[in-house]
Amino acid sequence: MADRREAFDRLTQARLDRAYRLAATILTGDAEAEDAVHDAAVQAWTRWATLRDESRFDAWFDRIVVNVCRDRLRRSATAARKAIVSWIDLAPGEVGGEDDALRQVVAGLSPDHRIVIVLRFAEDLDIAEIARRTGQREGTVKSRLHYALREVRAAYDAARRSRGADR
Amino acid sequence: MTNRTLEEDLAGLFSDKADLKAPATLRMRVAGVPDEIVHLGLVPRLALAAPRITRIAAVVVVLLLAAGSAWLRFGTGSPGAQGQALSIVNDAAPTPLPSGLSYSCPLTLTNMSLRVEVAGTRLVVVDATTLSPVDAVWPYGFSARLIDGKAELLASDGTVVAREGDVLTSVNGHEGSAGGAGGSAGAFDVTGFNGDCYTPSGVKVGSPRQPIPPVFSTGLGSQEP
């Protein structure tokens, strides 16, 4: 028990900045990210026996964090969709910077699409690593990334066009 | 931004999070997780540790067992905690009284005693003296059930007012006007017993008034017989 606790403390504390950053990028709001990482730590402690090799802790813990974030996003999916709808409804002259537009488009993605975008572009992970952290097959990850990018690109191009027309 | 690709813009979008550090409060919360969980009992810990599919399967099994148990109790007619319903004849639902009026206990005019019995799936009463059946009509809301093989008569509020073999004394009521569900002509409308009386809606309203003893006049003064 003491060994297990020592290992838990050592590994989670070492990974905490990264886990918090991942949660904060996937979710909206620092407080929610903090709660998500805490929930992930609770799950990690209760499932400690399923971690067979400590050298795999990082990917194992990331996967728990991603799953917790996905559950939280699904619960708040309606709010996220409202955010993108409100942006789409804005007249061209009312649209903020393109970064803001892009941020809102990403916020409006479905939880699974948003997660692959974050893991690919914020965490700079390749397809195999994303698959490991989401528990999906590589083919599924590729497909989700493709459709997520297509969705983002459509909104992104629309924002650029409207901005060009506004000038 | 216009000269950059979407992929570059996406990578740039998240760059503001690159230096994000876990707050001290989170470090403390995570460090406290083993203490937080160890205080849970064995069952919650096992439940948390189990994969989601196992937890769902466990819930399904518990629900199936509960449903099976309920079916065995009520579906097959065997007595359980709620018992098996026995049929009795009730008064029809009474019409509400005009405002300002309320029921009071009627005068006790009979001195009948009835014994509670069971006949098949019915709760019946017999005259305790002659043992002849009495076609009783109970106040609206009264019910009967079989608990552990023994019949119970319940008032409209669910109170057990008599059990099989009990003798109801000072039974109050009236004959002939049984308008209850299934009441036949000559049925006896029970309005009270054992010192209690009930409104047509089965609500206990108090003790029935006792008849005034007759007073005989002898011309020399009053005296009781």
Side-chain angles (χ1 to χ4, degrees):
Chain A
M1 181 73 176
D3 288 348
R4 176 181 158 182
R5 179 163 188 161
E6 183 276 326
F8 174 82
D9 284 341
R10 175 169 42 84
L11 294 170
T12 51
Q13 292 296 332
R15 190 66 180 175
L16 215 52
D17 285 338
R18 182 88 187 261
Y20 177 68
R21 194 161 59 239
L22 176 61
T25 314
I26 295 173
L27 300 170
T28 53
D30 295 344
E32 191 170 15
E34 192 174 328
D35 286 344
V37 175
H38 173 259
D39 289 353
V42 169
Q43 289 193 24
W45 174 250
T46 55
R47 296 179 186 178
W48 195 258
T50 65
L51 175 65
R52 295 195 187 96
D53 181 356
E54 283 189 11
S55 67
R56 295 181 179 175
F57 175 80
D58 289 355
W60 180 77
F61 190 53
D62 277 1
R63 186 165 167 176
I64 295 175
V65 172
V66 166
N67 283 335
V68 169
C69 290
R70 182 190 289 116
D71 288 344
R72 285 176 170 264
L73 276 179
R74 283 179 178 159
R75 283 201 293 270
S76 60
T78 309
R81 283 193 196 101
K82 279 180 185 166
I84 187 172
V85 167
S86 65
W87 171 73
I88 288 170
D89 289 345
L90 289 175
E94 296 174 289
V95 176
E98 283 167 358
D99 275 352
D100 288 342
L102 199 55
R103 204 182 301 277
Q104 291 204 43
V105 172
V106 173
L109 292 174
S110 71
D112 287 325
H113 283 180
R114 183 169 172 172
I115 285 168
V116 291
I117 289 285
V118 167
L119 291 176
R120 177 71 190 92
F121 296 102
E123 297 294 312
D124 198 25
L125 299 176
D126 61 23
I127 298 293
E129 285 298 315
I130 295 173
R132 204 163 291 139
R133 279 160 176 78
T134 56
Q136 303 292 336
R137 288 200 297 265
E138 289 187 22
T140 307
V141 172
K142 277 183 193 170
S143 165
R144 284 184 178 166
L145 192 56
H146 169 77
Y147 285 108
L149 274 173
R150 195 170 74 172
E151 192 175 340
V152 171
R153 189 181 301 281
Y156 177 79
D157 289 345
R160 291 177 81 163
R161 276 197 302 275
S162 65
R163 200 153 182 82
D166 195 37
R167 285 189 184 120
Chain B
M1 180 164 168
T2 49
N3 295 324
R4 288 180 292 164
T5 63
L6 171 63
E7 286 76 7
E8 287 170 336
D9 279 346
L10 277 170
L13 188 67
F14 301 118
S15 60
D16 61 331
K17 306 272 187 188
D19 298 325
L20 211 53
K21 303 281 184 198
T25 51
L26 177 59
R27 289 199 177 276
M28 287 169 57
R29 287 174 72 189
V30 170
V33 162
D35 295 324
E36 190 181 324
I37 302 303
V38 83
H39 290 134
L40 292 174
L42 178 63
V43 171
R45 270 189 286 152
L46 289 174
L48 279 170
R52 178 182 289 183
I53 187 71
T54 310
R55 278 181 272 160
I56 292 170
V59 169
V60 169
V61 167
V62 168
L63 289 176
L64 286 175
L65 285 174
S69 169
W71 182 80
L72 284 173
R73 281 185 178 182
F74 304 114
T76 61
S78 61
Q82 298 296 316
Q84 178 190 347
L86 294 174
S87 65
I88 57 173
V89 179
N90 290 95
D91 259 330
T95 50
L97 285 177
S99 68
L101 296 180
S102 62
Y103 286 107
S104 65
C105 289
L107 206 61
T108 302
L109 293 174
T110 68
N111 194 24
M112 188 188 289
S113 293
L114 299 175
R115 181 191 295 277
V116 177
E117 304 284 355
V118 174
T121 58
R122 294 185 303 132
L123 182 141
V124 296
V125 285
V126 296
D127 188 303
T129 309
T130 64
L131 299 183
S132 56
V134 174
D135 192 6
V137 178
W138 301 97
Y140 178 75
F142 267 51
S143 60
R145 66 185 178 188
L146 202 59
I147 290 281
D148 296 330
K150 191 151 188 173
E152 291 180 343
L153 178 66
L154 296 92
S156 59
D157 62 358
T159 312
V160 177
V161 291
R163 291 189 170 84
E164 184 179 351
D166 287 354
V167 174
L168 309 177
T169 57
S170 304
V171 178
N172 194 21
H174 47 84
E175 278 189 64
S177 62
S184 57
F188 184 77
D189 257 342
V190 178
T191 58
F193 50 85
N194 293 352
D196 294 321
C197 72
Y198 299 87
T199 68
S201 55
V203 177
K204 192 160 80 174
V205 288
S207 300
R209 287 180 286 147
Q210 296 298 315
I212 301 165
V215 175
F216 297 94
S217 172
T218 61
L220 300 172
S222 303
Q223 65 176 55
E224 291 182 12

